[in-house]
Amino acid sequence: MRKTGLLLMAITLVVGGLQAGAAQAAAPAGVFQDFETDADLQGATVTLPQVDRIERSADPTHGDSGLKFTVGPSNTPGASASSGINLYAGTPSLPVSDWSGHTVLGFDFFTEQDYTTVGRITVRDQSNKAWGMDYPIRARDWTPITLRMSTIAAAGVDITRIAYLSFSMPRAKTPVIGHYDAFRLVDSYPYDQTPYGDKAAAQLLRLVDFNGVLTKLAEQIEGLDRSLGHEPADERLKAQVRAAEAQCAELRQKLGPMTYAQYQPFNAGVTALQRTVPRLANTIQARAHDRRADFGVESADSMALVYPKDLPFTSTGTAPTVSLTRGEYENVQAVVLPFAEPLTGVQARVTSVSGKGALQATVAPVGSLNVTPTNVYHRPTYAGWTPDPIRDDLTSVDVPADTFQPYWIRLKAAATAAPGTYHVTVAFSAAGKRTRTMTVAAKVWPVAAPDAPKLNTTFQFTPAIVNDIYGITDPAAQEATKHQYWSFLHDYKIEPDQLYTCACIPSNANPVIVPTPVEDVLYIRDHYGLRDFNAFYLWAGLLNPSKPETWQAQIDTWIAQLRTAMDSYRAAGVDKYAYVYGFDEANGPLLQAAKQTFAAVKEAFPDLPILTTLRDNSMGVDTGLAGLVDVWVPQQDLYNQQVAERTRARGDQAWWYPDIATGSPLPNWFNGYPPIDARTLVGPMSYKAGVEGILYYATNRWLRSDHANQLLVNDGILSAWRAATFNGTAGDGSMFYPGPNGPMASIRLENFRDGMEDYNLLWQLQHDVQSNPQLPAPLKAHAAKLLAADAVVTDQRTFTEDPARYRAWRTDVIATLTAVRGLE
């Protein structure tokens, strides 16, 4: 789904100067807003005044004071994902509304906090035309903002009649502080910003406790394991410890007055050391676990990310354990850590699995993509090489001395596996090095949940995109490829389906929408089982919202197309599985068009369910659509539990969907988000909310225009394939990858499947409790507590991102299901 409009709160404010329509004269170049007096704040607003605050402070980049913006925490009731400041033309906060005649509008931002993320700037004119851009928020750093007039004007914004300027910062668990100052018009670009940067550096050195930061780092370095011996690997690691000590001392010596040209490498050095020390601790820990080894092998949870560069990871030891029920998948990560020397020809293979046929196991290296987070993440997210593709195509990789290489170990218990603990041994080898092994202990419980998902999925998969990037033109080959991808999706608990029923790429101009061919429905039924399918997409783009007199002709065409399709479904015996989807995120006049369309569909096909994502937060009560829509699917951040329960009480279903607007604190599966978010969303969070299904607008949004330089993920372990998709947001609409041999799984997709299985576990526990009224009261009460999932989820904005906590809850669910069945 797409969310149109600003991510900031859209505020309509008519101020005296604008109401009068009086145009201001173009201002001369120079600083026009310096926040030197309290009066300069008049007319400025913040998103949530209860917790968000603006004030003058003596931390300027120009003049004697600047604007200090404090953003309240994300867990504040009613808080949006970001908080913004709006400066309105015609008020003292934005005294200049005519920016014409100049090249650039610039201003300064800095934060003294260890907070790196992405903010958003929006300019809107008096005709409601808007332009926006992201801006970087870097830890303890200054960002000079540059808004090019030519770029703003090219977007259709009238720079002679500006209505407001807004800028936002994402919320965090604790309050966030940003400083803005020196709003200026400039006639040339680039221009000398040195004075602003030097003053920002002075403020940062005053506000940041660098002495405390470096003292803590020195203590961390001192606390590193000093029991290293005298082997070459030990000496190399000791040299790295000494280098860290020397770097810390050198940084401390530099403390004092600096220009920004001096401050920037100083701050970068502190940041680098903050990353180096815990990564060095990871490596030294791995060395301590086996002092005879040539390289380290540690484990990590599958719900966490192991970054190849820069960032540390949380080791779960050298002998990981997992729990799974019969027929279930589970995963664990192994991590190869060089001992300060490069490794070549690194290979991993499963060498033994105990219990004949009880457990399947595979291992593959995890690849990484270069990810740049966008403002829609609404959370601090690392920019750089980010793990995700599971590279089953690579049998050997090279690991540089400064790189951690994760491996994905995928386990599946047989449906008939006897309960007990099984062992999977994985061997890791490198050229000229002694082979290392890791043994995973997998406990299989004597219970099973349904294999088929109990949570509905309606996810768009577009075969035409696959055909395009692989260059498949033969119809038979296209059909075989489509079936290959359907099987892949089915394996990952996603029902083969199309939201936008066309043989084309739906985002292309003038897509030809046709009903789903009955041959496709029958193939899905015969190979995967049929739960439901979208018969037809009612595309509101074919209706002119300003000409309602033309709607009925298009509606009649839709009904005729549907009648032909339903006849074919009926003849094949699959008509009872059909539904129609339409009016994707429609609002305004199109809500009335939806009402007219859905009434016609119900009249022609009374038993054909209608599913929609149209914008009606009341789910039919306020729009008169109640009784016409059968499945309501709001965007997740617009999902209201009370409205959903009211909807279900009248017999309709209430689903939800994530999209590009579903940023933190809600879960999503953007590249770089903790993988536990995807698992939680479709597992305990969806179960707790009672949603019957989840919808997603695209699984393979691999448009050639986005990937012209690298169409497939078929290069090195650090792939050049571009992670950015819709509006540059990595992973939006792309849940897996086009590999050299077909679909390539991702860490995000693996966690999605794990979450779908967790949902089924909860469904099974509730089913068994309800089927056994004679259960002891304490056991029944404990089961109810687990089904509420309070240990891991409060609501869709508050949930744990701690894999250990999640696993403890999940293991308790399985153990309780075992007890309810009397199998302990």
Side-chain angles (χ1 to χ4, degrees):
M1 296 298 103
R2 302 273 61 82
K3 182 176 180 180
T4 58
L6 294 175
L7 298 178
L8 295 172
M9 179 187 300
I11 302 175
T12 302
L13 182 68
V14 179
V15 293
L18 296 181
Q19 189 175 33
Q24 297 184 11
V31 174
F32 65 85
Q33 176 55 281
D34 232 5
F35 299 103
E36 296 296 288
T37 69
D38 288 341
D40 291 334
L41 302 182
Q42 293 178 12
T45 66
V46 295
T47 300
L48 199 64
Q50 303 92 301
V51 293
D52 304 330
R53 187 174 71 256
I54 52 174
E55 59 190 312
R56 288 174 56 237
S57 66
D59 313 308
T61 58
H62 185 271
D64 297 321
S65 62
L67 180 67
K68 179 180 178 181
F69 181 28
T70 303
V71 175
S74 57
N75 61 356
T76 303
S80 53
S82 290
S83 179
I85 299 174
N86 287 322
L87 306 180
Y88 290 96
T91 75
S93 69
L94 188 61
V96 176
S97 60
D98 183 350
W99 299 349
S100 62
H102 304 287
T103 303
V104 162
L105 182 138
F107 58 95
D108 299 309
F109 168 82
F110 68 87
T111 180
E112 66 268 33
Q113 293 178 300
D114 192 1
Y115 188 59
T116 298
T117 183
V118 181
R120 186 72 174 171
I121 298 169
T122 302
V123 176
R124 189 175 292 272
D125 69 16
Q126 294 177 37
S127 299
N128 212 32
K129 291 283 188 179
W131 168 87
M133 62 169 273
D134 290 353
Y135 72 101
I137 297 173
R138 297 186 291 262
R140 305 180 300 253
D141 208 353
W142 166 66
T143 299
I145 307 296
T146 299
L147 310 185
R148 301 292 298 270
M149 297 301 175
S150 58
T151 303
I152 300 173
V157 175
D158 184 351
I159 60 173
T160 70
R161 301 171 64 248
I162 298 299
Y164 71 74
L165 169 67
S166 67
F167 34 92
S168 70
M169 291 197 297
R171 299 186 191 275
K173 293 181 180 179
T174 57
V176 176
I177 294 172
H179 301 265
Y180 300 85
D181 199 20
F183 288 75
R184 50 196 179 262
L185 292 167
V186 185
D187 291 343
S188 62
Y189 187 82
Y191 66 99
D192 184 14
Q193 302 189 62
T194 302
Y196 304 104
D198 289 347
K199 202 156 186 180
Q203 306 301 351
L204 286 163
L205 286 163
R206 181 174 59 83
L207 293 169
V208 178
D209 180 15
F210 277 112
N211 185 62
V213 171
L214 291 170
T215 297
K216 183 177 179 181
L217 278 168
E219 292 171 350
Q220 290 173 342
I221 296 169
E222 181 65 28
L224 291 173
D225 189 342
R226 299 307 177 100
S227 61
L228 293 167
H230 299 286
E231 295 291 328
D234 298 308
E235 295 297 340
R236 290 193 299 270
L237 293 177
K238 284 191 285 188
Q240 289 192 336
V241 174
R242 290 192 297 269
E245 287 177 323
Q247 185 181 4
C248 190
E250 181 182 352
L251 288 167
R252 192 185 294 277
Q253 288 178 349
K254 291 181 178 179
L255 269 177
M258 301 181 200
T259 64
Y260 183 73
Q262 297 167 320
Y263 175 86
Q264 188 176 32
F266 168 80
N267 184 45
V270 173
T271 299
L273 193 60
Q274 286 177 309
R275 292 173 170 178
T276 297
V277 173
R279 275 177 70 89
L280 187 53
N282 279 149
T283 307
I284 291 175
Q285 179 189 48
R287 178 65 178 165
H289 284 157
D290 189 341
R291 298 193 181 282
R292 296 170 298 176
D294 293 328
F295 55 89
V297 177
E298 298 286 304
S299 69
D301 200 284
S302 61
M303 289 183 272
L305 293 176
V306 179
Y307 289 87
K309 307 288 186 181
D310 299 333
L311 301 185
F313 72 98
T314 300
S315 172
T316 52
T318 59
T321 61
V322 294
S323 289
L324 61 169
T325 65
R326 289 168 169 164
E328 222 183 11
Y329 285 91
E330 259 303 339
N331 308 282
V332 68
Q333 294 187 82
V335 188
V336 170
L337 302 92
F339 290 150
E341 65 171 350
L343 302 174
T344 59
V346 178
Q347 297 183 6
R349 59 191 179 92
V350 176
T351 57
S352 66
V353 181
S354 66
K356 186 177 181 180
L359 206 66
Q360 297 175 6
T362 61
V363 61
V366 176
S368 292
L369 305 172
N370 206 343
V371 171
T372 301
T374 63
N375 73 295
V376 300
Y377 278 57
H378 296 309
R379 66 182 297 158
T381 306
Y382 171 76
W385 292 109
T386 300
D388 195 45
I390 298 174
R391 299 299 301 269
D392 294 285
D393 61 311
L394 297 179
T395 57
S396 175
V397 299
D398 293 338
V399 183
D402 63 347
T403 299
F404 295 165
Q405 179 55 55
Y407 282 81
W408 196 259
I409 302 174
R410 184 187 295 120
L411 309 174
K412 184 182 182 182
T416 57
T421 299
Y422 299 87
H423 295 90
V424 175
T425 301
V426 183
F428 298 88
S429 61
K433 305 299 181 184
R434 286 167 291 188
T435 297
R436 295 290 312 273
T437 61
M438 172 179 283
T439 299
V440 181
K443 180 177 180 178
V444 177
W445 292 76
V447 292
D451 182 58
K454 291 297 179 182
L455 181 68
N456 268 295
T457 58
T458 293
F459 283 30
Q460 169 72 17
F461 164 66
T462 306
I465 291 178
V466 176
N467 296 334
D468 180 47
I469 62 169
Y470 284 94
I472 303 171
T473 57
D474 176 67
Q478 290 180 343
E479 196 73 3
T481 301
K482 178 174 67 176
H483 296 161
Q484 178 191 16
Y485 276 77
W486 279 355
S487 294
F488 174 82
L489 291 168
H490 178 259
D491 286 344
Y492 281 93
K493 311 298 184 185
I494 296 174
E495 299 171 71
D497 202 3
Q498 273 202 320
L499 276 174
Y500 313 110
T501 56
C502 68
C504 58
I505 298 174
S507 58
N508 286 355
N510 303 313
V512 179
I513 309 298
V514 295
T516 296
V518 68
E519 295 80 10
D520 283 357
V521 179
L522 293 176
Y523 187 95
I524 292 169
R525 182 197 65 184
D526 295 342
H527 289 80
Y528 317 115
L530 188 61
R531 183 170 184 168
D532 50 36
F533 70 94
N534 181 23
F536 192 43
Y537 173 47
L538 302 170
W539 182 33
L542 295 175
L543 300 177
N544 187 334
S546 63
K547 294 184 177 181
E549 67 276 8
T550 65
W551 295 346
Q552 191 58 49
Q554 179 59 57
I555 293 171
D556 291 342
T557 299
W558 284 336
I559 296 298
Q561 289 176 287
L562 259 177
R563 183 166 286 112
T564 300
M566 291 301 293
D567 286 345
S568 70
Y569 303 148
R570 192 173 300 109
V574 295
D575 55 304
K576 65 181 179 180
Y577 301 104
Y579 68 90
V580 292
Y581 170 66
F583 287 80
D584 185 298
E585 294 187 344
N587 57 21
L590 288 176
L591 292 179
Q592 184 59 40
K595 187 175 181 180
Q596 186 174 333
T597 302
F598 294 166
V601 171
K602 285 297 184 184
E603 181 179 1
F605 313 101
D607 298 324
L608 182 63
I610 295 174
L611 180 149
T612 185
T613 56
L614 58 74
R615 295 293 196 218
D616 177 5
N617 294 340
S618 73
M619 295 189 185
V621 172
D622 295 342
T623 58
L625 284 162
L628 295 175
V629 173
D630 302 277
V631 183
W632 296 88
V633 193
Q635 188 173 294
Q636 195 189 359
D637 58 346
L638 301 176
Y639 177 91
N640 181 291
Q641 191 66 43
Q642 290 183 332
V643 173
E645 294 301 335
R646 180 182 67 188
T647 300
R648 295 187 184 105
R650 68 171 186 253
D652 296 338
Q653 293 186 13
W655 300 12
W656 57 19
Y657 68 88
D659 72 346
I660 197 168
T662 313
S664 180
L666 285 86
N668 209 315
W669 39 68
F670 300 143
N671 286 76
Y673 262 45
I676 192 174
D677 284 27
R679 184 166 188 167
T680 300
L681 170 58
V682 297
M685 185 177 291
S686 287
Y687 194 87
K688 185 184 184 78
V691 298
E692 297 91 344
I694 184 167
L695 176 149
Y696 198 52
Y697 87 101
T699 56
N700 64 320
R701 195 181 192 278
W702 312 322
L703 302 181
R704 181 177 286 269
S705 58
D706 290 333
H707 303 288
N709 295 329
Q710 182 80 35
L711 292 178
L712 307 179
V713 182
N714 61 352
D715 52 345
I717 195 72
L718 302 181
S719 176
W721 195 83
R722 188 170 179 263
T725 54
F726 183 75
N727 280 355
T729 298
D732 182 75
S734 175
M735 298 182 69
F736 58 100
Y737 300 99
N741 305 310
M744 177 183 289
S746 67
I747 291 177
R748 296 172 298 129
L749 187 62
E750 294 281 348
N751 275 271
F752 174 91
R753 176 167 63 188
D754 288 340
M756 294 290 283
E757 290 181 331
D758 292 343
Y759 186 102
N760 277 16
L761 275 176
L762 293 168
W763 181 93
Q764 190 66 60
L765 178 58
Q766 184 168 14
H767 173 273
D768 286 11
V769 168
Q770 291 174 343
S771 300
N772 193 348
Q774 305 304 317
L775 286 175
L779 180 57
K780 188 180 293 187
H782 187 63
K785 181 180 178 182
L786 292 170
L787 289 167
D790 292 338
V792 290
V793 175
T794 301
D795 54 36
Q796 62 256 43
R797 287 175 171 79
T798 309
F799 55 96
T800 186
E801 291 187 327
D802 178 6
R805 183 174 173 184
Y806 189 101
R807 289 205 181 277
W809 165 80
R810 175 185 141 82
T811 300
D812 200 356
V813 170
I814 299 173
T816 303
L817 177 59
T818 304
V820 167
R821 292 187 177 181
L823 296 174
E824 285 187 318

